[in-house]
């Protein structure tokens, strides 16, 4: 914060660091390079072509992934952009990382790509070892069991099912289900298909399949016209930033939300739709990068325990190192942070960790044909090797500090445009005065070679890969500063 | 049927065809080879190891996919089995097909595996071409649009959402959604989250995420303890086989079911939960390989049209050639068979085709991070090339005839054990006198080197790869015959 009075000129000189960039040349490029407006003519042509097959309203541009490297995404018109969005936060160690390319050339790995197994019934010989060296090596505190799935939504759907099964077994006193349970479940009726609920938070995003979608409350476009469940929705704390300056106000807001959580649990139990589980993101991402304090999460975890609800931490977007720790919930400093932790995106495979007692009591209850994809586990193993070898979590912490400090400075410089800079590691965000201005700024930044994403109504989210170094931060801040300076 | 009185001895000599087997040697093996009981010691050891991480109750044995070839799956104890289950019907052209291995060694393809894009926003340059040469080249009649997804459940979930969106837009007269639509959808309430339903059939299997699961009614284990929707469930015709011998009885049964469908549509409309779509499998697979006549499906399609419901044909298990046509619904001989056709498994990527009017009106309504996986499209392109080059649909038709005739013969020989032989292409099944006997026979067949799967209460389903030739059929029938002869 002591740098806040730096002039724009000073920021410019301060952030240039060409020498450091050179060292990474074989893997990374040394800066953006823009040849056309984006989308350029080739992208437009391809968008038209794809438009005959699909809705292309969300397509930004077409990519040349072969030419993309490290933090730089190259498009089909030869534009090279510093990528701070990384395929909706799903590229862990940059494009075409040499370690991943090498993995592909190992003939021992071919069969894993060519023969996708039904993992639940016929796993490959190396499956336990690969799981141990990949997912188990980064298992959250207190968890030794993990189930892989194909994507984030499937991970959460199956985590919810695990919580429902666990809850009903408790309710039944672990007795065999009754004939009525059996017959009613086949026709979607209680008690076989019980009126249980999952408590979620306003602003949450947990996916788009129908179970997940009933716990997603971030944007109308996700939910409109899709039938849903009558499940309780608690307010997520609306905090003031920087958090350390508003501890008292924020604590009050968090207490208000927690009180509401307990009220809802009681109310839904009375309604005959008991809360089997609580699901929450450590940082609400799609909903606008909303943070809460470790104290909030600790208390929420206690409330879940007190009321006999499972506690599910959805780390689909926050997991994988972007916050400076491998799991965002590690910032809470708890030995027993959750009953279920789900993941996807940067982990390259979906899935969820769970405590022993959350394991379904019988096979085929949590099941599908593929149950994940071993070829993704191969990549994940190698990604984790790179993270360890290159100390990427430390890099993220260092880059994240530089990024957040830079955002604080810019916010001080452009108080009419920017506010509420916030973040953990490089998992940062800042608010723009309004949604339309935010969208304009995103386009202008892209025209200058920086690819950013929006979230919430008017936020910009920063989601670089873990190989995003301090000099990339400075490059980003320089360009972002230019965009803001020229804005009007 | 004229072969029914063949003695067991005659079947044996008839089915041996070593010369044909030789021609395939480099890709395939020439027969099963069993070294240990299954699961063998190494499989048991690995199962124990994996048991510390996951529920392993469904694990059959561990596989050596590197050594598996063509129609033969090799396990970690060196047992080689003729695979008629093919990873729950998801291996299209056998293990380690040379064409797929070759694809992996092409350096131009590396990037597709290493850089998984967010397809909905940043597709790769070759995406439209790859979709055109793969999925569009086998598009069902009347459909030019396709959306890829990661798995079968996600495909059906999103297909349902597309039907809900389409239906509500019709209901609103294609007007902009109201403020009330917007505000209520965020809290899971009508009219924003409307009380719409999907009509499904008893015995159906459409997946296990919560939307899909509300339309799945095949086994208790899939559904028990998971909350669901009050959606209408129609009876699926219980036909007598062979179909051509019971046309009159079957037509009556089908008429009964269709009448019930119309009644349910009317009833659920009156309940305020209109049926937005009807979903059905061309052959109910998981539910027991239940067939219906082309006439039944044509009439059902008419009912859907008459009542303004979308008609969704779920080809997740039937699609990809196993019935002798690429899509099972092609056997119905209709120009306009469906509004939506979903797929996964043998297609290697999930997804659904749809008519133009079933495309969501806005981007981001049908959306998720990955929206499929281009590396799977690469494999699919090559699989389709192999299917065309090697005339595999003709092979399937030929092998399927041999298989079904063989099953008729065995059924005539073992009337106390076998009944209701049925099938289309190699997508065949036969009933066993009871579930316990079925399970015993599956194990005995495996001990003799033939891997089969069950479905329904007491059926065996045959799901070979498309490279399953007539001499494989004879090998299978010989071994199956041995198992039955020794049974008691």
């Amino acid at each position: 914060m002591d740098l806040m009075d730096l002039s724009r000129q000073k920021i410019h000189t301060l952030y240039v660091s060409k020498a450091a960039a050179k060292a990474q040349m074989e893997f990374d490029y040394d800066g953006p390079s823009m040849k056309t407006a984006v989308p350029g003519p080739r992208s437009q042509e391809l968008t038209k072509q794809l438009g005959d097959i699909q809705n292309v309203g969300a397509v930004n541009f077409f990519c040349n992934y072969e030419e993309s490297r490290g933090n730089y995404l190259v498009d089909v018109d030869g534009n090279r952009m510093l990528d701070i969005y990384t395929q909706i936060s799903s590229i862990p160690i940059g494009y075409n990382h040499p370690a991943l390319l090498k993995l592909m050339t190992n003939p021992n790995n071919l069969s894993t790509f060519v023969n996708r197994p039904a993992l639940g019934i016929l796993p490959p010989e190396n499956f336990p070892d690969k799981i141990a060296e990949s997912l188990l090596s980064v298992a959250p505190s207190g968890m030794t069991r993990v189930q892989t799935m194909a994507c984030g939504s499937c991970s959460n759907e199956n985590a919810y099912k695990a919580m429902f099964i666990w809850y009903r077994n408790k309710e039944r006193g672990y007795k065999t289900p009754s004939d009525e349970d059996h017959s009613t479940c086949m026709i979607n009726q209680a008690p076989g298909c019980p009126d249980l609920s999952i408590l979620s938070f306003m602003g949450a995003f947990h996916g788009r399949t129908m179970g997940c979608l009933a716990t997603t409350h971030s944007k109308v476009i996700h939910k409109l016209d899709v039938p849903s469940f009558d499940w309780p929705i608690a307010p997520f704390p609306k905090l003031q930033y920087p958090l350390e300056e508003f501890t008292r106000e924020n604590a009050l807001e968090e207490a208000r939300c927690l009180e509401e959580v307990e009220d809802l649990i009681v109310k839904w139990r009375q309604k005959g739709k008991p809360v089997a589980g609580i699901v929450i993101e450590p940082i609400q991402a799609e909903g606008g990068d909303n943070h809460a304090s470790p104290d909030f999460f600790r208390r929420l975890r206690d409330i879940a325990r007190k009321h006999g609800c499972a506690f599910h931490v959805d780390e689909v977007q926050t997991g994988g190192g972007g916050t400076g720790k491998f799991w965002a919930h590690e910032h809470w400093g708890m030995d027993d942070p959750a009953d279920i932790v789900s993941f996807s995106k940067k982990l390259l495979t979906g899935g969820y960790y769970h405590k022993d007692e959350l394991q379904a009591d019988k096979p085929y209850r949590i099941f599908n044909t593929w149950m994940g994809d071993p070829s993704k586990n191969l990549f994940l193993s190698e990604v984790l090797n790179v993270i360890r070898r290159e100390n990427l979590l430390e890099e993220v912490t260092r880059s994240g500090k530089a990024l957040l400090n830079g955002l604080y400075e810019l916010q001080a410089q452009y108080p009419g445009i920017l506010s509420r800079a916030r973040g953990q590691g490089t998992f940062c965000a800042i608010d723009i005065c309004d949604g339309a201005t935010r969208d304009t700024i995103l386009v202008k930044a892209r025209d200058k070679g920086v690819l950013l994403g929006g979230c919430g109504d008017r936020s910009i989210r920063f989601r670089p890969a873990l190989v995003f170094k301090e000099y990339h931060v400075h490059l980003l801040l320089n360009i972002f500063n230019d965009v803001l300076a020229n804005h009007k």
Side-chain angles (χ1 to χ4, degrees), chain A residues 121-135:
Chain A
I121 56 171
L122 296 163
E125 180 159 24
N126 67 0
F127 184 60
D129 281 348
K130 280 289 155 198
I131 290 284
E133 75 184 47
S134 61
L135 288 166

Side-chain angles (χ1 to χ4, degrees), chain A residues 453-469:
Chain A
C455 65
D457 296 331
R458 56 192 186 92
S459 303
I460 288 177
R461 58 176 147 178
F462 300 86
R463 295 291 186 274
L466 306 178
V467 292
F468 190 72
K469 315 273 173 167

